[in-house]
Amino acid sequence: MNLSVQLAPKNKKGLSLANPVMTASGTFGYGTEYSHLFDIQNLGAIICKGTTLKAREGNPQPRLAETPCGVLNSIGLQNIGVKALIKEKAPIWASWRVPVIVNIVGETIADYAQLAGELDGVAGISGLEVNIGCPNIKAGGAEFGTKPESAAEVTATVKAATSLPVLVKLTPNTADIAEVAKAVAEAGADAISLINTVKGMAVDVAARRPLLGSVSGGLSGPAIKPIALYMVYTVAGAVDVPIIGCGGITTSSDALEFFMAGASAIQVGTANFINPRAPLDILEGIEQFMRKEGIDKLTDLIGAARG
Ligand SMILES: Cc1cc2nc3c(=O)[nH]c(=O)nc-3n(C[C@H](O)[C@H](O)[C@H](O)COP(=O)(O)O)c2cc1C
């Protein structure tokens, strides 16, 4: 059976994965934390925690709240910063078979340019995933990913600063995700990941206060799967770059739905907190389905549910 996928067909370097199962940013650390639990080299790719120019402590506690079928988080991009990542993590990744993609996030366009430039050519890094679901400080805090223009500007800036394959990760917190997707594809995105978390909140009834330290957070997990799936379906009809589906994927059946809606690969996020082996279980389930259905190539399933 052939489970391989090419996620950056228009990029000189390309981004070839042995299989389509990746881990979602912020839910799998730097990969190193999970390497003693199972053979992470069998994954399609690992996406590391969102990385900023400087190390960040993140938001005030509490930063996690369980909801029915999901989780609200307001971690606030706690991370070690790009310099420490290059010095401490990339050398470890350089010895791995599994490709590692670095998720980057900035507060200004210049931050994104600098991050992409510093990571270009670093051994152990196979691509960048650009998180545009974060506040643009110069534009008064509106998220870069909410408008096609600002989303395209970030994409073009990152593309100009690196030769690495660039995945742009869309936020669902926008009026028209297809318009944003078209804008980032035109600006040169090699692939598009979607979705990031859906904005939400919880109230601590006893304290009569918002439960999360920073009031709102991002909802993830099975609760958002139908939203993510429909957005993948919509975006797959709007652009001709590979799509990476993400949002509530917990079982192989969930993953198959995303492939059939048009995703070429998938990311497993919140499910890692319930079962750290979830990505491998999902991969094995996909293989079982293909064997049972007599499907030789995963690519035959991509978009199968589209008219
Ligand atoms: C605790 C936590 C931290 C996250 N951190 C990041 C991050 O740093 N960068 C990013 O692009 N997405 C981040 N995400 C979003 C996930 O990568 C993913 O897009 C989202 O959770 C939806 O997938 P899921 O329902 O499978 O978790 C985070 C999600 C969670 C739950």
Side-chain angles (χ1 to χ4, degrees), residues 11-34:
N11 184 282
K12 258 196 207 143
K13 291 197 165 113
L15 183 58
S16 179
L17 270 49
N19 69 70
V21 180
M22 318 164 82
T23 58
S25 177
T27 67
F28 208 71
Y30 295 94
T32 45
E33 298 89 335
Y34 284 74

Side-chain angles (χ1 to χ4, degrees), residues 24-27 49-50 71 73 75 77 103 131 169 195-197 220-221 224 246-249 268-270 273:
S25 177
T27 67
K49 176 67 196 161
V71 121
N73 94 82
I75 304 296
L77 299 168
N103 180 286
N131 175 1
K169 183 167 178 183
I195 57 175
N196 212 317
T197 52
S220 63
I224 69 168
C246 175
I249 298 174
V268 181
T270 301
F273 300 142

Side-chain angles (χ1 to χ4, degrees), residues 76-244:
L77 299 168
Q78 179 181 12
N79 79 101
I80 60 174
V82 71
K83 291 213 161 51
L85 178 139
I86 291 170
K87 194 161 159 242
E88 294 162 22
K89 306 296 178 189
I92 300 172
W93 298 337
S95 68
W96 289 1
R97 184 176 79 238
V98 56
V100 177
I101 295 164
V102 176
N103 180 286
I104 59 170
V105 55
E107 291 178 345
T108 63
I109 297 276
D111 283 1
Y112 282 102
Q114 197 179 332
L115 281 161
E118 291 195 19
L119 292 163
D120 191 38
V122 175
I125 299 174
S126 298
L128 301 180
E129 181 178 64
V130 188
N131 175 1
I132 55 171
C134 47
N136 176 351
I137 299 297
K138 278 207 177 135
E143 289 177 18
F144 288 100
T146 54
K147 299 252 163 58
E149 300 77 25
S150 47
E153 195 183 353
V154 177
T155 306
T157 302
V158 171
K159 280 294 289 181
T162 185
S163 57
L164 285 169
V166 173
L167 284 46
V168 177
K169 183 167 178 183
L170 304 188
T171 168
N173 305 310
T174 178
D176 189 342
I177 197 142
E179 286 307 310
V180 178
K182 276 191 231 161
V184 304
E186 267 166 36
D190 292 297
I192 294 177
S193 324
L194 70 157
I195 57 175
N196 212 317
T197 52
V198 178
K199 239 182 211 158
M201 75 175 289
V203 169
D204 178 340
V205 171
R208 303 185 186 189
R209 294 188 49 77
L211 199 151
L212 293 171
S214 54
V215 181
S216 70
L219 181 64
S220 63
I224 69 168
K225 197 194 87 180
I227 300 171
L229 193 60
Y230 184 56
M231 287 189 164
V232 163
Y233 186 89
T234 305
V235 169
V239 298
D240 72 348
V241 296
I243 290 167
I244 301 150

